[in-house]
Amino acid sequence: MRTPVPKLIHRPSRSAPAALLALLLLALGSLGIWLLGYHLITGVWPQRAVTTLQAISSASFDSRWVLIIAGVAAVCGLAMLIAALLPGKFDRVAILQDDLPGQTAVSRRDLATLVKNQLEQIGNIHSATVRVHHSRVDVTAFTDLDDLSALNEVVSQKTDEALRTFQPSGITRSRVRIRQTN
């Protein structure tokens, strides 16, 4: 009896909104603790805090600053809500798929490094930049050669060969660009 292999785990999409909310709460909490400590030590509230609270309490809802702050807060809240509801992309990519039970997975950055190492074995390539997207690998290779079309074909073949070798799940195509260095 085999246990089923779980799917690769999505990266949590709530990490950015949670981090922003945590930083906001940390800042407000630190300010509150500082104000309370100041009041306990000196017996009075800081003058700047008193004037700020008086200015806030005297501001009307048709004030330009109140509307700007409310608009910024609404946009930030909406962005955090959208980021919390949308699922994150896969953090890892399944590679070397076969009929054996289990999965082999690497991070997208590691897959890019594997493809980059394959490309840097080409003689006329000085360096390469590889980015792995949802269904595509973007390659930018740098060379000193004048004839970029012939090298473009070689790099495309090497990239496709690397993709056939590693068989990344969901990544079916590549885009190659050759840049000439001076």
Side-chain angles (χ1 to χ4, degrees):
M1 178 182 221
R2 292 184 184 168
T3 58
V5 177
K7 295 279 186 185
L8 291 174
I9 299 170
H10 281 278
R11 182 172 47 214
S13 61
R14 290 166 288 284
S15 59
L20 288 174
L21 185 60
L23 287 174
L24 177 68
L25 291 176
L26 180 67
L28 289 175
S30 299
L31 177 65
I33 289 172
W34 177 77
L35 288 173
L36 182 63
Y38 187 90
H39 180 68
L40 289 175
I41 292 173
T42 63
V44 294
W45 294 104
Q47 185 59 36
R48 182 155 177 124
V50 171
T51 57
T52 303
L53 288 175
Q54 287 175 351
I56 290 173
S57 66
S58 67
S60 65
F61 283 111
D62 61 349
S63 170
R64 184 175 291 165
W65 287 107
V66 171
L67 294 175
I68 289 172
I69 291 171
V72 168
V75 168
C76 289
L78 183 64
M80 291 172 73
L81 181 65
I82 289 171
L85 293 177
L86 294 177
K89 65 180 180 178
F90 285 117
D91 190 24
R92 306 217 178 267
V93 177
I95 62 169
L96 303 172
Q97 298 180 8
D98 51 18
D99 294 334
L100 297 174
Q103 286 178 309
T104 303
V106 296
S107 68
R108 292 182 180 274
R109 183 173 34 170
D110 290 342
L111 179 62
T113 302
L114 290 170
V115 173
K116 179 181 175 182
N117 290 340
Q118 294 288 322
L119 294 176
E120 287 179 344
Q121 293 176 3
I122 299 173
N124 296 320
I125 299 293
H126 292 293
S127 64
T129 303
V130 179
R131 293 206 170 107
V132 178
H133 297 287
H134 181 68
S135 65
R136 182 184 72 216
V137 173
D138 285 341
V139 174
T140 305
F142 299 96
T143 184
D144 285 336
L145 293 179
D146 293 331
D147 184 20
L148 301 180
S149 62
L151 190 59
N152 191 5
E153 192 64 34
V154 172
V155 172
S156 295
Q157 289 175 356
K158 194 71 164 175
T159 303
D160 292 340
E161 178 185 325
L163 290 178
R164 279 191 304 275
T165 302
F166 299 121
Q167 304 168 7
S169 174
I171 299 174
T172 57
R173 57 194 172 98
S174 63
R175 182 173 62 183
V176 175
R177 294 180 183 163
I178 305 295
R179 302 278 188 232
Q180 188 175 20
T181 58
N182 294 330

